[in-house]
Amino acid sequence: MGNILLFALIVGLASALVLIPFTKRNNASKEDKKPISGAVITSLIIAIPSVFAFYYLSNLDMNLSSLWLFSIIITAAGALFASGKERMIKGVLFAGSLIIGIYFLTAGIFNADEKFKHAKMEEQVEIKAFDEKETPASVPPQFARNKMKKAFGQVPNTSYYELGNLQIQKVNGEFVYIAPVEFSGFFKWWNGDETPGYFTLSATDSSANPKFMKTEMVYTPSSYFNKKIERHIRMNYPKHIFYGDVQLEIDDNGKPYYIRSYGEFVSARNGFTVKGVVVVDPKSGNTKDYSLNDVPEFIDGSVSPEAVSLQNSYFGNYVHGFWNSKFGKSDVKLPSDEGTEANVSPIFDKNGDMYYFTDFTSPKAGVDSMLGYSLTNSRTGQATYYTGNLEESYMDSQGALQIIEKKFIEKKWHGEMPVLYNFYGEASWLTPVLDSNGFLQNYFIVSAANPEISVYGTTPNQALKQYKTALQKGGSTVDGNSKAEEKQVTGTVVRVYKEKSGDYTIISFLLDNRQSYVISSENNALAIYLQVGDKVNVNYLETGESFLPVNTMVIEGLE
């Protein structure tokens, strides 16, 4: 609080000195030629509370550059009230502040190249093939939020609170959604003083139930006055430049912390590049800031999704400067707005590191072709842009969502959180499908290069199993490691399991060599007649998985 009071006092005093005319007009009346001390005091009484109220309510950084608009108004009024040489001097101050204001207002036109330089990404062709043994974070946030709301009865004094913002992270090696319990209004905060805890829910298992974790939090986004977390951070770091909302992060012991990304302007209070993160203990209010290189291990999202979305915009729009982004649009690529957090989607790699995914599309209306996609490390901010196979045209996320909408048009289901994976060497969109009430119905996979190849299943693994067989029929490479070898085996069927999938049947069977295989009736219609004791000749791919995908199969006695 002392920082903002001192800042308001200095600004108020400087404003009073500029506003009050010290040179008396020759034609002024005796009443107007009173001592100026009263006017100075009056100006201070008005200016200091006004500056304090503005910065206290807005949480704006207290750097001198933040006063540019205020200085234009004050110097203009000061020049207007003054006369003679004093008016000339204050007129110069007004002209200077006006020039600075114009510079700040037009900086976005002239620093586009610098923004692109800050946002430039390393370029590669394709991400590595997805290891099927790893489980993607595939539970959509809307579904997770619905489940948490239904479990809200676990919260004590339920009427005082509501569910806060949802975010994903890794806790003790597991991918989970986290959502704090927030106050539902001013009087609830006044009576409650602190929130009781947060919810956690698996981001990989749609059948899991939310758990309420009890822990007292005093400094929160829904608190008021100095207990409001954004204001508490600003009071401790008056000159930091913040970008993005505060987010809740949980350490491996279950202790919550609020974090917020900070950085610097590209130039003239325009643009942003992230440099570090402020971490706050919501119970005690203790704060500490870290550079990106020193962020604690448990924090996954030290770079805010809003900052990543901004960098994606710089990279896609300003490849040839500002004016090209508005008119010619040569080589311009627009980042998608289908992400789950500030237009980006958090995903995890095989090592458990979190990245923000974004696909880029053409600025031309009506085109759903993807120009590439980016992955940004959520801890370091390092980004990689993937062009995809330049010999093929990939469908963007909007195109994948449209396919889902048409596929389930009668049921009025829709897709959410489309993410591009490399399944078996094929660029593929994995998208959870929800009904009109936000409940999860299935998982839809569609090839980005061959949209006619698509499947859906009740779980990601079931959908992947069907996707293998669909790719076989479509002539694509079914290869989780890009090195699968086609082999042949002859044996006797020991066990058979059949399950319906849309218009076809998936047949899983075990041979007497103790190895399991899988094939779809879409590829081999006679496979539905397979039974225990049949002798078969199988051509399959050695992918190293528990169920090996079958290319062709001959059942002795049927063919």
Side-chain angles (χ1 to χ4, degrees), residues 50-237:
S50 298
V51 172
F52 177 86
F54 175 77
Y55 280 90
Y56 184 81
L57 295 174
S58 68
N59 287 324
L60 189 66
D61 63 283
M62 283 172 268
N63 293 290
L64 291 178
S65 61
S66 66
L67 294 166
W68 68 270
L69 181 58
F70 186 73
S71 66
I72 292 176
I73 297 172
I74 294 298
T75 54
L80 181 64
F81 297 149
S83 62
K85 290 184 178 180
E86 183 182 352
R87 171 172 285 186
M88 184 180 299
I89 294 172
K90 292 182 177 179
V92 172
L93 291 177
F94 169 67
S97 62
L98 189 61
I99 291 172
I100 292 174
I102 293 173
Y103 171 61
F104 284 162
L105 288 172
T106 58
I109 298 175
F110 302 108
N111 67 3
D113 291 335
E114 195 175 354
K115 288 176 180 175
F116 178 77
K117 183 179 178 181
H118 279 283
K120 196 169 183 180
M121 305 178 187
E122 175 191 352
E123 290 196 9
Q124 295 184 18
V125 176
E126 200 75 82
I127 54 176
K128 294 181 180 179
F130 179 78
D131 187 350
E132 196 179 70
K133 296 176 183 177
E134 300 293 333
T135 304
S138 51
V139 175
Q142 183 182 347
F143 175 69
R145 190 171 183 82
N146 283 345
K147 295 195 78 169
M148 288 182 180
K149 285 183 176 180
K150 291 185 179 300
F152 214 73
Q154 301 176 39
V155 180
N157 296 320
T158 306
S159 61
Y160 275 51
Y161 309 107
E162 61 187 11
L163 195 64
N165 291 333
L166 196 74
Q167 56 262 341
I168 192 172
Q169 68 174 108
K170 183 179 66 174
V171 179
N172 287 317
E174 296 184 358
F175 307 140
V176 295
Y177 281 109
I178 302 293
V181 173
E182 299 285 1
F183 292 109
S184 58
F186 175 79
F187 292 105
K188 302 299 174 62
W189 167 78
W190 185 266
N191 293 322
D193 190 49
E194 59 190 26
T195 59
Y198 61 89
F199 278 97
T200 179
L201 175 67
S202 172
T204 59
D205 183 4
S206 60
S207 64
N209 292 317
K211 296 179 181 178
F212 176 66
M213 311 299 290
K214 292 184 178 180
T215 179
E216 297 172 351
M217 293 188 283
V218 177
Y219 298 87
T220 73
S222 58
S223 299
Y224 289 82
F225 304 124
N226 289 358
K227 299 296 179 64
K228 188 175 181 63
I229 188 68
E230 294 91 339
R231 183 167 294 118
H232 179 72
I233 293 174
R234 172 56 69 203
M235 294 300 178
N236 285 274
Y237 301 95

Side-chain angles (χ1 to χ4, degrees), residues 491-496 510 530-536 555-556:
T492 301
V493 177
V494 178
R495 292 286 189 275
V496 179
L510 175 69
L530 188 69
Q531 57 187 6
V532 174
D534 282 345
K535 292 183 177 181
V536 293
I555 304 174
E556 189 175 307

Side-chain angles (χ1 to χ4, degrees), residues 371-447:
L371 301 180
Y373 52 97
S374 68
L375 291 177
T376 303
N377 189 297
S378 62
R379 282 177 56 85
T380 67
Q382 295 296 315
T384 302
Y385 180 73
Y386 297 89
T387 61
N389 190 337
L390 298 177
E391 296 180 358
E392 297 181 339
S393 178
Y394 286 173
M395 172 180 61
D396 64 12
S397 57
Q398 186 61 42
L401 294 176
Q402 290 174 356
I403 288 178
I404 293 173
E405 186 177 347
K406 292 176 182 177
K407 183 76 174 179
F408 304 106
I409 190 170
E410 293 183 357
K411 297 181 178 180
K412 297 182 179 180
W413 292 355
H414 65 278
E416 183 180 295
M417 196 177 74
V419 176
L420 193 72
Y421 287 95
N422 187 348
F423 290 138
Y424 316 114
E426 184 85 3
S428 314
W429 289 103
L430 171 64
T431 309
V433 179
L434 288 75
D435 61 21
S436 57
N437 294 316
F439 292 105
L440 183 64
Q441 296 299 323
N442 60 50
Y443 290 89
F444 192 88
I445 302 178
V446 58
S447 168

